[in-house]
Amino acid sequence: METDLNSQDRKDLDKFIKFFALKTVQVIVQARLGEKICTRSSSSPTGSDWFNLAIKDIPEVTHEAKKALAGQLPAVGRSMCVEISLKTSEGDSMELEIWCLEMNEKCDKEIKVSYTVYNRLSLLLKSLLAITRVTPAYRLSRKQGHEFVILYRIYFGEVQLNGLGEGFQTVRVGTVGTPVGTITLSCAYRINLAFMSTRQFERTPPIMGIIIDHFVDRPYPSSSPMHPCNYRTAGEDTGVTYPSVEDSQEVCTTSFSTSPPSQCVFTVTKAHFQTPTPVVTDTLRVPVAGLAFSHQPAALGVGSADLAYPVVFAAGLNATHPHQLMVPGKEGGIALAPNQPTHGAQADQERLALYTPSDGAHCMATPSSSEDTETVSNSSEGRASPHDVLETIFVRKVGAFVNKPINQVTLTSLDIPFAMFAPKNLELEDADPMVNPPESPETESPLQGSLHSDGSSGGSNSNAHDDFVMIDFKPAFSKDDILPMDLGTFYREFQNPPQLSSLSIDIGAQSMAEDLDSLQEKLAVHEKNVREFDAFVETLQ
Amino acid sequence: MNCRSEVLEVSVEGRQVEEAMLAVLHTVLLHRSTGKFHYKKEGTYSIGTVGTQDVDCDFIDFTYVRVSSDELDRALRKVVGEFKDALRNSGGDGLGQMSLEFYQKKKSRWPFSDECIPWEVWTVKVHVVALATEQERQICREKVGEKLCEKIINIVEVMNRHEYLPKMPTQSEVDNVFDTGLRDVQPYLYKISFQITDALGTSVTTTMRRLIKDTLAL
């Protein structure tokens, strides 16, 4: 067998590859720290700068990389991967990129190890420096801070790209041929930034548009934990199980303000969203808007810290309602229901941190009924089963910034669907304009609006606002104080004003008749002033 | 030996011209610069260290990496500034191009002057657009940022084909291959020129500027 490499070359090559891998990890992680990197050139070689590039070595990162490599080198089938993901303050996370250092079998026997390979590895590192600033995650990482942080995880072995969502793109940074194989460095990055929780990638293919506020153990419990791309903490996310959402028919959104725990925002999880609701006023875009936490991000990844956030939903509810349904998310193989297209589209509109419980959520609550996943109808079946099977705690809908305690729950074990909207439960809700907005005029013609305008707050309004998905939002210039009447409250209360009386049918009809009568006179008057009008028109020309 | 030539095109607003050009030129030069060579006895040499730094653009949502060499940065900014002024003063369609050419010097006997043999030429064609509203400008910021990302990826792709590079020179030859005039880094010998073109690509006013200290025109 022709051994092309003498032992010295082989040793050198192994060393080069090892340090190249370590430097690659450093470059990638440093590029996601959220700060600008600056190192100095030095004309006199120090001897410690591998590949003639000044790349700082963050000790923790080196340690993690060495741990992942465990003395091995990238080889065929064994790639070194750096996974970059985003984690919000609520604990939800999303993979953004996977950087892969792979080796394939194509060898370049003639290449000179100590010279050409070394210089090409150096060039590849420079390319990596350039490319790490160019993928979408870079801009995200520069904005990290209170609302979200960027984490990294190094693993060695097979590349796992399922977490990147559909339609992810790949960019190849470069290749270097060596006598033992060709080193390839590439990056696969997510382009669909619609927020998805990690659980979707566990066993089932990701489903577009579903947003679930349900947390499970990390998909790779046995592999390395995530680390924040910052210097502040040494905390590790050890895969804490997050409390899951209660699966009531009114699953909650998370609130993204710093409103105290007594104020929650809930969505009405009307399962059929056949008419896109006009009331969705503020769709929040990924990932920054709306996540307005003013507390310290602290050591992310410590599970208990999440509950300390003054976030409404998850923390508040879980703290006060310990019996919430734990959605059996971890039980294997519960397929998530693909949504009806309309709902999917709807969910797309309310992106990010909107944890609109989809139909899938209904299915999850009732494993038995979840098999029929294709046609999730909003029907009573979905709703009835939670009632039947489980005694759930329904939390009352409360509008944002409403100064009412959240533990006004109605415990119900009624079989009928829409039990929540049975008249007897509505008395409190009637008075709450957020829950019962007056009939919005958009749905009717102005002439008929008056027919409903008087009796709007009474009666069943379930249909009207069942289609509403209320999202907490932060109006511009509002302060997040706890006054019950701040800008957001004001806005919400008055955004659906009652019909103008002049548009009401009776008055309208009368005035129209009058108008018609007076037309003749008006025309006569105008004709007298024809000259003035003409002069005016000429001045305009 | 053929000179390989790469062409990139960008469409930018007036105030983005400088940053877009600097981003492209710096990225190319990042790949085409090494540390300073220190020749030792027996024909060996050691190479200095190249530092890098991130540069945020003010008018584009973009960050690029350049070598940490203020001298190099100043030299590039100077010529890009001249290009920008020429573009503005030309009053034409706002079309122009800059060329970054890497070359080798080949010494000839007297009385012939040295030859400059290019081995790689990067041409960046610029189209300047004028925008009316602030919203358009905001969109342009993002769009140009995305375009530049694509350009960087293109550049990296070319760089990693590992095509011809001049051989590493001996001490006596180093000035024929590298620009040894800078204090902290050592790029390959290069020159930058620019032209203002009209829509057909022909040169309206040929404005050639030499940047390097030691190039001799043929």
Side-chain angles (χ1 to χ4, degrees):
Chain A
M1 169 174 97
E2 46 160 349
T3 37
D4 313 291
L5 279 189
N6 61 34
S7 66
Q8 181 58 42
D9 272 353
R10 183 70 210 234
K11 263 198 273 183
D12 285 346
L13 185 61
D14 286 346
K15 207 160 45 148
F16 293 169
I17 295 178
K18 174 183 161 196
F19 279 96
F20 180 73
L22 295 178
K23 287 294 181 183
T24 296
V25 175
Q26 289 286 350
V27 168
I28 295 170
V29 172
Q30 288 175 27
R32 299 287 175 263
L33 289 176
E35 299 149 2
K36 290 206 295 192
I37 305 294
C38 179
T39 56
R40 294 187 53 192
S41 304
S42 156
S43 67
S44 43
T46 56
S48 62
D49 290 320
W50 274 92
F51 308 106
N52 309 119
L53 283 174
I55 299 173
K56 251 180 15 184
D57 278 325
I58 301 176
E60 180 197 273
V61 174
T62 308
H63 174 70
E64 286 302 317
K66 284 186 172 161
K67 209 164 69 168
L69 285 173
Q72 295 176 313
L73 289 177
V76 179
R78 288 201 316 259
S79 314
M80 188 188 77
C81 302
V82 182
E83 177 191 294
I84 301 287
S85 57
L86 175 152
K87 186 167 176 179
T88 64
S89 322
E90 286 116 19
D92 215 7
S93 70
M94 173 165 76
E95 280 176 36
L96 296 177
E97 300 174 321
I98 313 256
W99 297 83
C100 308
L101 179 60
E102 298 167 301
M103 181 81 107
N104 71 24
E105 286 147 353
K106 186 169 157 201
C107 303
D108 184 346
K109 306 276 187 201
E110 269 115 36
I111 202 169
K112 284 221 187 88
V113 167
S114 62
Y115 167 71
T116 313
V117 171
Y118 190 82
N119 288 335
R120 287 189 182 176
L121 288 174
S122 176
L123 194 70
L124 188 51
L125 270 180
K126 290 175 184 166
S127 299
L128 182 65
L129 280 163
I131 296 282
T132 44
R133 274 66 173 168
V134 144
T135 52
Y138 180 71
R139 302 220 72 82
L140 276 178
S141 71
R142 290 292 296 269
K143 294 183 195 149
Q144 69 181 298
H146 295 292
E147 293 113 4
F148 65 93
V149 286
I150 304 291
L151 308 177
Y152 73 93
R153 180 172 78 92
I154 309 171
Y155 63 92
F156 192 73
E158 279 207 28
V159 183
Q160 288 146 357
L161 294 177
N162 348 354
L164 292 174
E166 284 182 22
F168 63 85
Q169 294 200 350
T170 321
V171 61
R172 193 160 81 155
V173 182
T175 61
V176 172
T178 74
V180 299
T182 302
I183 296 172
T184 309
L185 186 52
S186 60
C187 172
Y189 59 94
R190 164 192 283 275
I191 50 173
N192 170 22
L193 290 175
F195 209 94
M196 294 185 186
S197 101
T198 52
R199 104 179 271 240
Q200 296 189 37
F201 311 112
E202 219 179 283
R203 287 169 199 91
T204 60
I207 295 164
M208 298 290 288
I210 292 186
I211 302 157
I212 308 172
D213 45 357
H214 177 98
F215 303 103
V216 293
D217 281 341
R218 302 216 62 82
Y220 315 112
S222 58
S223 53
S224 57
M226 304 291 297
H227 300 274
C229 286
N230 60 39
Y231 286 99
R232 275 174 288 158
T233 83
E236 292 181 357
D237 180 354
T238 52
V240 173
T241 309
Y242 295 89
S244 59
V245 168
E246 71 156 340
D247 186 53
S248 73
Q249 64 191 29
E250 295 171 301
V251 189
C252 334
T253 62
T254 57
S255 159
F256 309 114
S257 71
T258 51
S259 45
S262 64
Q263 300 166 6
C264 313
V265 176
F266 290 73
T267 62
V268 184
T269 71
K270 184 70 179 198
H272 72 95
F273 287 93
Q274 277 159 7
T275 54
T277 99
V279 183
V280 176
T281 51
D282 298 279
T283 58
L284 301 169
R285 295 197 140 260
V286 176
V288 180
L291 296 171
F293 292 97
S294 58
H295 61 278
Q296 288 302 320
L300 233 203
V302 180
S304 58
D306 294 341
L307 291 177
Y309 299 166
V311 170
V312 184
F313 141 57
L317 282 185
N318 291 326
T320 57
H321 304 291
H323 336 293
Q324 282 173 15
L325 254 201
M326 302 300 274
V327 179
K330 284 189 286 184
E331 291 165 24
I334 294 180
L336 295 175
N339 273 314
Q340 293 174 352
T342 52
H343 179 67
Q346 177 73 9
D348 275 342
Q349 287 169 20
E350 307 113 48
R351 289 280 190 86
L352 202 230
L354 227 227
Y355 297 89
T356 327
S358 61
D359 302 332
H362 296 282
C363 289
M364 287 183 322
T366 61
S368 55
S369 67
S370 71
E371 304 322 307
D372 177 21
T373 56
E374 283 307 312
T375 53
V376 175
S377 63
N378 62 38
S379 60
S380 48
E381 299 144 11
R383 286 172 185 265
S385 15
H387 296 263
D388 292 335
V389 174
L390 308 139
E391 196 176 317
T392 54
I393 298 173
F394 289 90
V395 189
R396 185 181 148 294
K397 294 192 297 289
V398 177
F401 308 109
V402 170
N403 199 13
K404 293 173 191 162
I406 55 167
N407 27 6
Q408 290 175 17
V409 299
T410 48
L411 188 64
T412 167
S413 54
L414 294 176
D415 286 348
I416 55 172
F418 305 96
M420 281 300 294
F421 308 115
K424 62 176 185 281
N425 286 340
L426 276 182
E427 52 172 350
L428 284 171
E429 294 174 329
D430 274 348
D432 185 349
M434 298 196 203
V435 173
N436 300 335
E439 287 293 311
S440 69
E442 298 116 28
T443 55
E444 296 132 348
S445 71
L447 284 180
Q448 291 169 12
S450 63
L451 291 174
H452 300 290
S453 59
D454 299 327
S456 61
S457 54
S460 165
N461 50 15
S462 54
N463 288 330
H465 72 88
D466 276 353
D467 290 336
F468 295 171
V469 176
M470 300 177 70
I471 312 159
D472 187 19
F473 72 102
K474 284 179 68 68
F477 309 113
S478 75
K479 289 196 281 206
D480 10 274
D481 51 26
I482 39 181
L483 292 175
M485 194 67 174
D486 75 343
L487 185 60
T489 318
F490 175 82
Y491 189 81
R492 295 185 97 88
E493 283 189 6
F494 295 104
Q495 75 180 0
N496 285 316
Q499 277 285 354
L500 287 176
S501 59
S502 58
L503 293 178
S504 68
I505 195 168
D506 302 324
I507 305 176
Q510 282 172 13
S511 61
M512 187 128 98
E514 282 169 10
D515 283 342
L516 283 171
D517 290 338
S518 62
L519 263 179
Q520 293 287 354
E521 294 160 16
K522 285 186 186 162
L523 276 173
V525 168
H526 290 323
E527 273 177 15
K528 278 193 214 154
N529 300 331
V530 148
R531 286 209 198 119
E532 280 179 39
F533 287 126
D534 286 342
F536 173 68
V537 167
E538 273 181 36
T539 60
L540 292 174
Q541 283 171 355
Chain B
M1 173 207 55
N2 288 330
C3 164
R4 72 176 163 267
S5 163
E6 308 292 336
V7 180
L8 304 164
E9 295 191 30
V10 288
S11 250
V12 295
E13 208 206 341
R15 54 190 191 164
Q16 296 171 324
V17 169
E18 278 192 84
E19 287 177 335
M21 298 309 300
L22 283 171
V24 171
L25 295 176
H26 269 303
T27 302
V28 173
L29 278 167
L30 168 70
H31 289 84
R32 293 284 179 249
S33 303
T34 70
K36 298 282 291 178
F37 282 12
H38 296 274
Y39 284 94
K40 302 186 268 217
K41 294 180 222 165
E42 308 122 22
T44 59
Y45 60 92
S46 59
I47 310 180
T49 304
V50 172
T52 57
Q53 62 188 78
D54 291 338
V55 181
D56 286 338
C57 295
D58 294 323
F59 300 111
I60 314 176
D61 285 344
F62 188 68
T63 304
Y64 62 91
V65 181
R66 67 169 177 90
V67 292
S68 290
S69 166
D70 290 336
E71 282 178 78
L72 185 62
D73 190 39
R74 271 197 300 269
L76 286 188
R77 281 181 188 272
K78 181 159 173 278
V79 75
V80 168
E82 288 166 5
F83 174 61
K84 189 191 78 163
D85 291 338
L87 262 183
R88 199 164 11 136
N89 298 336
S90 72
D93 302 326
L95 289 169
Q97 64 184 45
M98 288 193 86
S99 294
L100 169 59
E101 180 188 299
F102 292 101
Y103 64 96
Q104 272 178 271
K105 265 201 290 197
K106 189 168 158 207
K107 296 240 182 273
S108 313
R109 291 174 188 278
W110 184 88
F112 301 109
S113 45
D114 294 340
E115 275 183 83
C116 294
I117 305 171
W119 51 271
E120 189 174 72
V121 178
W122 294 84
T123 306
V124 188
K125 296 193 178 169
V126 176
H127 176 216
V128 181
V129 296
L131 298 175
T133 70
E134 195 54 42
Q135 196 190 12
E136 283 176 22
R137 282 191 205 109
Q138 187 59 35
I139 295 175
C140 189
R141 270 185 80 102
E142 294 165 15
K143 283 263 155 69
V144 172
E146 285 167 21
K147 279 288 162 190
L148 282 178
C149 289
E150 286 172 30
K151 301 304 161 195
I152 302 302
I153 294 177
N154 292 346
I155 294 173
V156 162
E157 209 181 348
V158 170
M159 294 296 180
N160 273 274
R161 285 184 211 151
H162 301 302
E163 290 165 340
Y164 173 80
L165 279 181
K167 271 203 317 238
M168 284 299 156
T170 58
Q171 189 168 14
S172 53
E173 295 280 302
V174 70
D175 287 312
N176 294 339
V177 176
F178 285 103
D179 176 358
T180 53
L182 299 171
R183 253 177 329 135
D184 36 18
V185 294
Q186 191 174 288
Y188 283 101
L189 277 175
Y190 71 95
K191 59 179 132 171
I192 301 182
S193 56
F194 60 83
Q195 293 177 327
I196 308 298
T197 58
D198 66 9
L200 295 174
T202 56
S203 169
V204 171
T205 46
T206 320
T207 320
M208 304 289 287
R209 302 294 297 237
R210 301 260 178 250
L211 186 73
I212 309 305
K213 310 107 189 166
D214 54 357
T215 56
L216 302 163
L218 279 173

